[in-house]
């Protein structure tokens, strides 16, 4: 569906300036994710930590000509061919456009909501339905006030069905999402404690979520969730719907589970639906996965899908990664694995993610789409266009459709009729120093390709969940004021989690600053393509040249470091080079002592070479209530130092004191920025913060043996047992960071 700039102005109620006849096909809200410039409109959104209006000039230079904004840049003479649609609120405008698109779609729309499991249910349902006919799904977990309209905007008539996910964090949000999605069928998974901070209790949150279905014809839910069943049964609007429930216990449910057998890796369920009995083999044994699968089975049966197709689909279900998985590959490659979700809409999102990850050569290995509902040649033309405009340097197409249309792609592209043909011709040396996106439908079994490309040198690994890190970042943001910036600590190579990979995630999620311990870490960030401001906390003597070369900002903690870096700035003719001043208020590591601030201020007032980007201190005991008086005293000393510095500085600078525990316990001291550290990685316990551990240390058993009673195990014969025992030997030791003394019992 294509509309003009004039149409957009009419739909959004905006005021148009420029050419009203520009045709629009794509809508983007993130300037970094631009692939198509032709027929694209940029929605400039003012968010918590960014302002999209700042990127208008850059996007115009790249070819974007239509902008939906809340204001017009002052330098209009530099944007002579641009068309602006000025609205009171850009998010409202985006939602109005999505509502317009939804109104033109005449087929079935399904919405999934709930506290947990909604992304998994959405993905599994779309997978099973998508094996039979074209289905559009919201990409990843696009379930917010911005994500939902971006998903709905993808609606086109070639889809027979659409499955969207809807999430909320506060009252009033679901009514807006309902106007955008207007689901024919509603699915609610459960109600739990997730995102409860803005609701008085779970009942008020459940009522808000159920608003999504007030205009739906059918509602699917688990009858065993008493609160959901109670609220639906008591609501005169909801109870008039076609209610389709399932239950482990209640025979009055539309679908009742009569038998369930669980093994280590599989659950066999027998159930009754409309008087007929069915058996399904669910490839999971945990309760949450079984519940999610039963919700999907109920939905598929209610939608009239052939039970045989449902059984086959359920048997093939895979664990859903909440975000694309990144792994180390052979020959210094990086893999992005996204091969359980393949449709035209998700390809653009995946390619955007590929572009955001690193400065390595970009490679895409793509399979045919299954059941896209489009003319295959037209679809391949679009894929070829995406590949070209995304700057993908190596393309590998797998499947008969791509193979038959290979003439549409660059001559350097490679094509294989099947995954087996690719595997039989695989040459590992042809992949080197690349970021490789694996994007394929499940039937093509791209996990076999991933196995060849993944680095397989160690059985002992530290798995780092980027999903958990993003969760922790968002959990911290929940405690911050809208205007508070975030400086994420990535020192010690992101606490051993992988510096460039973690930095890419933080940059993608709009963190404002990064902080490293030493200059070489900052240099690695720059080499990996990171463009965020980077503070170096311990600039070693003689490292000034390196920092200037790589645009790194030093922490100034002594008169010596001040003089040394001022000299470097002078040598290079630099004016107002950003530096960060650390005040020691009680931690007594690096920093100026309070009685040195007066002299420091004099030096700051006399220099034009350095500009104070921020002044900060470090709290010594913000996690311990018994030291709260000490913490308040630290902040008081910090503010006194700030007053001294402000006497000689005529410009604003950032102030920051809070670490992870401080964010939770001392919100009144947020100032301009906070510095979460190891809490971002889920390490430690913090009052009021619900953080997930990001790291999992895994290994495999090398050998199992039986040791007779009285026989020692290990060095110095220190471990002896009075009884026979079975011992497993793991390939892990003090070289991996384990204390050697643990071998002594």
């Amino acid at each position: 569906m294509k509309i003009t700039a004039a149409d957009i102005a009419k739909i959004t109620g905006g005021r148009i300036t420029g050419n009203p006849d520009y045709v629009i096909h794509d809508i983007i809200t993130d300037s970094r994710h631009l692939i198509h410039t032709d027929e694209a409109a940029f929605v400039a959104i003012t968010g918590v930590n960014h302002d999209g209006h700042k990127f208008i000039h850059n996007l115009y230079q790249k070819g974007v000509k239509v902008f939906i904004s809340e204001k017009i840049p002052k330098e209009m003479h530099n944007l002579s061919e641009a068309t602006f649609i000025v609205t009171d609120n850009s998010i409202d405008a985006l939602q109005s456009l999505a509502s317009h698109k939804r109104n033109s779609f005449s087929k079935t729309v399904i919405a999934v909501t709930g506290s947990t499991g909604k992304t998994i249910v959405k993905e599994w349902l779309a997978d099973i339905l998508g094996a039979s006919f074209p289905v559009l799904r919201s990409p990843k977990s696009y379930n917010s006030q911005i994500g939902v309209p971006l998903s709905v905007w993808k609606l086109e008539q070639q889809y027979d069905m659409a499955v969207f996910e809807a999430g909320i964090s506060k009252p009033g949000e679901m009514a807006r999402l309902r106007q955008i999605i207007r689901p024919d069928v509603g699915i609610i998974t459960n109600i739990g404690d997730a995102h409860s901070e803005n609701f008085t209790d779970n009942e008020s949150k459940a009522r808000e979520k159920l608003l999504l279905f007030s205009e739906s014809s059918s509602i699917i839910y688990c009858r065993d969730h008493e609160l959901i069943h109670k609220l639906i049964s008591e609501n005169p609007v909801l109870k008039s719907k076609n209610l389709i429930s399932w239950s482990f216990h209640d025979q009055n449910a539309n679908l009742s589970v009569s038998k369930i057998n669980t093994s280590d890796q599989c659950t066999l369920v027998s159930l009754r639906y409309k008087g007929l009995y069915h058996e399904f083999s669910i490839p999971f044994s945990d309760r949450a996965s079984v519940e999610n699968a039963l919700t999907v089975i109920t939905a598929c049966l209610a939608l009239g899908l052939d039970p045989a197709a449902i059984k086959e689909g359920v048997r093939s279900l895979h664990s859903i990664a909440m975000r694309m998985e990144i792994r180390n590959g052979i020959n210094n490659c990086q893999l992005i694995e996204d091969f359980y979700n393949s449709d035209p809409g998700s390809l653009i999102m995946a390619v955007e993610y590929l572009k955001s990850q690193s400065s390595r050569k970009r490679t895409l290995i793509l399979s045919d789409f299954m059941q896209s509902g489009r003319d295959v040649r037209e679809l391949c033309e679009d894929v070829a266009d995406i590949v070209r405009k995304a700057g993908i340097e190596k393309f590998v197409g797998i499947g008969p459709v791509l193979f038959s249309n290979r003439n549409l792609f660059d001559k350097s592209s490679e094509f294989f009729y099947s995954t087996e043909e690719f595997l039989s011709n695989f040459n590992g040396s042809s992949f080197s120093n690349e970021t490789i996106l694996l994007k394929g439908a499940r039937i093509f079994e791209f996990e076999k390709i991933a196995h060849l490309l993944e680095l397989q040198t160690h059985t002992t690994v530290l798995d780092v969940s980027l999903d958990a890190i993003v969760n922790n970042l968002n959990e911290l943001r929940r405690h911050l004021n809208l205007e508070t910036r975030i400086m994420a600590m990535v020192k010690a190579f992101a606490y051993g989690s992988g510096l460039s990979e973690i930095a890419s995630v933080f940059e993608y999620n709009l963190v404002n600053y990064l902080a490293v311990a030493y200059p070489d870490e900052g240099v690695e960030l720059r080499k990996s393509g990171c463009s965020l401001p980077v503070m170096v906390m311990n600039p070693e003597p003689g490292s000034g040249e390196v920092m200037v070369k790589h645009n790194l900002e030093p922490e100034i903690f002594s008169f010596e470091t001040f003089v040394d870096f001022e000299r470097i700035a002078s040598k290079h003719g630099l004016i107002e080079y950003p530096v960060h001043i650390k005040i020691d208020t009680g931690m007594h590591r690096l920093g100026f002592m309070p009685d040195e601030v007066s002299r420091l201020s004099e030096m700051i007032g006399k220099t034009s070479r350095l500009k104070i980007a921020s002044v900060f201190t470090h709290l010594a005991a913000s996690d311990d209530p018994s030291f709260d008086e000490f913490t308040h005293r630290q902040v008081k000393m910090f503010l006194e130092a700030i007053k001294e510095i402000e006497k000689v500085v005529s410009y604003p600078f950032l102030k920051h004191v809070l670490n992870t525990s401080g964010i939770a316990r001392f919100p009144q001291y947020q100032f301009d920025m906070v510095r979460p550290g190891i809490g971002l990685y889920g390490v430690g316990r913090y009052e009021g913060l619900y953080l997930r551990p990001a790291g999992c240390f895994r290994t495999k058993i090398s050998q199992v043996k039986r040791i007779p009673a009285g026989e020692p195990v290990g060095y110095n014969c220190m471990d002896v047992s009075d009884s026979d025992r079975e011992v497993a030997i793991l390939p892990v030791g003090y070289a991996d960071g384990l204390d050697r003394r643990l071998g002594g019992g």
Side-chain angles (χ1 to χ4, degrees):
M1 176 183 180
K2 294 184 179 181
I3 61 177
T4 65
D7 294 329
I8 292 178
K10 184 177 180 180
I11 294 165
T12 61
R15 186 180 76 256
I16 189 168
T17 300
N19 183 358
D21 298 323
Y22 275 129
V23 175
I24 302 303
H25 183 73
D26 287 329
I27 297 288
I28 58 172
T29 60
D30 192 324
S31 62
R32 296 167 297 179
H33 298 166
L34 180 66
I35 295 178
H36 294 284
T37 57
D38 300 332
E39 301 182 348
F42 174 68
V43 183
I45 293 174
T46 302
V48 175
N49 292 300
H50 72 285
D51 183 355
H53 296 81
K54 295 179 180 178
F55 304 103
I56 288 175
H57 282 84
N58 179 259
L59 286 168
Y60 180 81
Q61 295 300 320
K62 292 180 178 180
V64 178
K65 295 296 186 287
V66 179
F67 301 91
I68 302 167
S69 63
E70 296 169 8
K71 55 189 176 184
I72 298 178
K74 296 178 181 178
E75 302 84 2
M76 270 297 292
H77 60 279
N78 295 326
L79 306 168
S80 58
E81 297 181 22
T83 291
F84 283 88
I85 297 135
V86 181
T87 67
D88 293 335
N89 186 291
S90 295
I91 295 178
D92 289 347
L94 174 64
Q95 294 180 349
S96 296
L97 287 172
S99 296
H100 177 80
K101 182 68 80 78
R102 170 64 181 97
N103 290 338
S104 68
F105 187 74
S106 57
K107 301 172 187 177
T108 303
V109 171
I110 304 168
V112 184
T113 192
S115 292
T116 58
K118 52 186 178 289
T119 301
I120 293 171
V121 168
K122 178 258 298 182
E123 291 289 336
W124 285 354
L125 181 59
D127 283 340
I128 296 174
L129 296 174
S132 299
F133 44 78
V135 175
L136 174 69
R137 76 184 87 192
S138 50
K140 296 185 286 185
S141 53
Y142 270 40
N143 60 27
S144 66
Q145 299 291 311
I146 296 174
V148 166
L150 287 175
S151 301
V152 173
W153 176 258
K154 301 292 182 183
L155 276 174
E156 299 292 348
Q157 288 302 325
Q158 69 259 23
Y159 295 109
D160 289 342
M161 199 170 286
V163 187
F164 297 123
E165 178 184 341
I168 57 170
S169 59
K170 58 186 178 181
E173 290 184 335
M174 193 57 90
R176 300 185 70 172
L177 297 185
R178 182 188 65 218
Q179 295 300 319
I180 301 167
I181 303 174
R182 287 184 36 241
D184 302 294
V185 178
I187 301 174
I188 184 164
T189 57
N190 52 48
I191 292 296
D193 293 328
H195 305 294
S196 294
E197 59 275 8
N198 293 314
F199 296 93
T200 54
D201 52 27
N202 280 346
E203 181 168 332
S204 64
K205 182 168 59 175
R207 289 184 191 280
E208 177 77 14
K209 288 182 180 290
L210 288 168
L211 287 174
L212 180 61
F213 309 142
S214 59
E215 298 175 23
S216 303
S217 57
S218 301
I219 303 175
I220 297 166
Y221 68 101
C222 176
R223 198 181 181 104
D224 298 338
H225 293 299
E226 295 179 1
L227 177 59
I228 294 174
H229 182 59
K230 168 180 173 289
L231 293 177
I232 291 175
S233 302
E234 293 175 352
N235 187 302
V237 173
L238 298 179
K239 71 179 183 181
S240 67
K241 309 291 183 185
N242 176 29
L243 302 180
I244 305 154
S245 62
W246 70 267
S247 173
F248 286 114
H249 316 295
D250 193 337
Q251 294 300 308
N252 293 319
N254 301 82
L255 183 150
S256 60
V257 179
S258 57
K259 190 176 180 181
I260 183 165
N261 292 317
T262 303
S263 64
D264 288 342
Q265 298 179 337
C266 178
T267 300
L268 186 66
V269 295
S270 300
L271 54 85
R272 176 188 53 79
Y273 180 76
K274 289 188 174 181
L276 298 177
Y277 287 86
H278 306 274
E279 282 195 348
F280 292 89
S281 178
I282 301 171
F284 301 97
S285 58
D286 64 289
R287 173 82 178 203
S289 295
V290 171
E291 282 199 15
N292 290 331
L294 283 166
T295 299
V296 171
I297 290 167
T298 305
C300 289
L301 288 169
L303 290 164
L305 199 64
D306 179 17
I310 303 173
K311 290 178 183 179
E312 179 59 33
V314 170
R315 190 163 39 243
S316 303
L317 293 178
H318 290 260
S319 296
I320 301 297
M322 293 300 100
R323 285 170 176 82
M324 286 168 268
E325 295 292 309
I326 299 180
R327 303 188 185 280
N328 289 328
I330 59 175
N331 306 325
N332 196 36
C333 287
Q334 184 183 55
L335 302 185
I336 302 175
E337 298 179 356
D338 187 28
F339 41 78
Y340 295 137
N341 175 8
S342 183
D343 57 66
S346 68
L347 173 62
I348 291 178
M349 299 296 177
V351 169
E352 289 171 356
Y353 191 70
L354 169 64
K355 288 180 65 179
S356 73
Q357 279 308 298
S358 95
S359 58
R360 292 184 177 100
K361 178 180 178 181
R362 297 172 188 145
T363 297
L364 170 62
I365 302 179
L366 179 72
S367 80
D368 285 350
F369 297 116
M370 306 305 295
Q371 298 289 345
S372 71
R374 294 179 58 184
D375 176 80
V376 293
R377 185 170 180 82
E378 178 188 291
L379 177 60
C380 289
E381 287 174 347
D382 282 354
V383 171
D385 194 43
I386 291 170
V387 169
R388 278 192 299 273
K389 291 181 176 179
I392 291 172
E393 294 147 286
K394 182 191 291 186
F395 177 75
V396 179
I398 297 177
V401 172
L402 286 169
F403 187 87
S404 300
N405 290 277
R406 57 190 181 278
N407 62 306
L408 299 173
F409 294 80
D410 188 85
K411 292 181 180 179
S412 63
S413 302
E414 298 180 69
F415 294 88
F416 301 89
Y417 197 82
S418 66
T419 301
E420 287 66 32
E421 184 185 352
F422 173 87
L423 296 173
S424 63
N425 289 276
F426 178 77
N427 178 8
S429 62
S430 65
F431 295 92
S432 178
N433 199 35
E434 303 167 32
T435 299
I436 305 168
L437 170 61
L438 288 166
K439 179 75 175 167
R442 288 181 177 170
I443 193 173
F444 286 90
E445 299 181 305
F446 268 26
E447 55 266 35
K448 294 178 180 178
I449 299 175
H451 182 74
L452 290 178
L453 289 171
E454 282 181 17
L455 195 62
Q456 304 288 337
T457 55
H458 298 290
T459 58
T460 301
V461 297
L462 176 66
D463 269 344
V464 179
S465 169
L466 301 181
D467 189 30
I469 289 174
V470 173
N471 170 84
N472 297 340
L473 174 63
N474 290 333
E475 172 65 12
L476 290 166
R477 276 191 168 134
R478 186 170 66 85
H479 291 259
L480 299 178
N481 300 325
L482 292 180
E483 65 275 10
T484 303
R485 296 173 173 86
I486 295 177
M487 175 185 282
M489 307 300 293
V490 292
K491 63 182 181 179
F493 291 89
Y495 299 89
S497 298
L499 181 61
S500 60
E501 294 82 1
I502 300 298
S504 292
V505 169
F506 285 146
E507 186 164 14
Y508 185 79
N509 285 277
L510 304 178
V511 160
N512 307 92
Y513 254 97
L514 298 178
V516 297
Y518 299 103
D520 59 330
E521 295 174 310
V523 171
E524 180 170 322
L525 284 175
R526 293 294 183 238
K527 288 181 177 179
S528 72
C530 177
S531 60
L532 284 176
V534 178
M535 180 178 81
V536 179
M537 301 179 69
N538 193 0
E540 299 157 307
S543 63
E545 298 281 354
V546 171
M547 286 190 286
V548 167
K549 179 181 178 181
H550 294 279
N551 194 26
L552 305 174
E553 302 175 12
E555 171 188 309
I556 302 297
F557 55 83
S558 67
F559 296 115
E560 291 77 14
T561 54
F562 188 104
V563 171
D564 185 57
F565 202 79
E566 187 181 32
R567 179 182 58 80
I568 295 295
S570 178
K571 174 183 174 181
H572 289 273
L574 301 175
I575 300 295
E576 297 187 343
Y577 194 93
V579 299
H580 302 262
I581 303 294
K582 185 172 186 181
I583 307 298
D584 182 358
T585 59
M587 186 74 171
H588 296 325
R589 295 194 305 200
L590 299 179
F592 290 93
M593 296 295 287
D595 60 3
E596 296 177 320
V597 172
S598 179
R599 178 186 168 195
L600 169 66
S601 298
E602 290 182 17
M603 296 173 68
I604 293 172
K606 292 177 181 178
T607 183
S608 61
R609 300 295 182 184
L610 307 183
K611 182 176 182 178
I612 311 304
S614 80
V615 180
F616 69 104
T617 192
H618 192 61
L619 301 181
S622 59
D623 59 334
D624 191 339
S626 65
F627 285 98
D628 281 358
E629 185 178 343
F630 185 82
T631 297
H632 291 305
R633 192 174 77 200
Q634 278 194 272
V635 175
K636 182 180 178 182
M637 294 170 66
F638 173 71
L639 291 175
E640 290 171 353
I642 290 291
K643 286 181 181 178
E644 281 289 314
I645 296 172
E646 285 178 334
K647 291 178 183 177
V648 298
V649 172
S650 59
Y651 51 83
F653 53 83
L654 300 175
K655 297 172 277 294
H656 47 111
V657 302
L658 295 184
N659 50 12
T660 304
S661 55
I663 291 170
R665 299 194 64 245
F666 297 98
Q668 70 272 34
Y669 296 145
Q670 287 181 30
F671 299 121
D672 304 303
M673 188 159 63
V674 295
R675 298 190 315 278
I678 202 166
L680 284 164
Y681 308 86
V683 178
R685 292 186 177 184
Y686 306 93
E687 179 184 320
L689 293 178
Y690 301 97
L691 306 178
R692 289 168 47 192
C696 179
F697 187 54
R698 295 188 297 106
T699 191
K700 297 180 180 179
I701 293 173
S702 297
Q703 187 180 13
V704 177
K705 57 177 63 176
R706 297 198 67 83
I707 307 297
E711 282 289 307
V713 174
Y715 286 120
N716 300 322
C717 303
M718 293 185 69
D719 190 49
V720 182
S721 174
D722 294 333
S723 58
D724 293 352
R725 52 185 167 160
E726 193 173 43
V727 175
I729 291 87
L730 307 179
V732 175
Y734 51 85
D736 301 290
L738 296 182
D739 193 328
R740 184 170 178 173
R741 291 171 296 181
L742 294 172

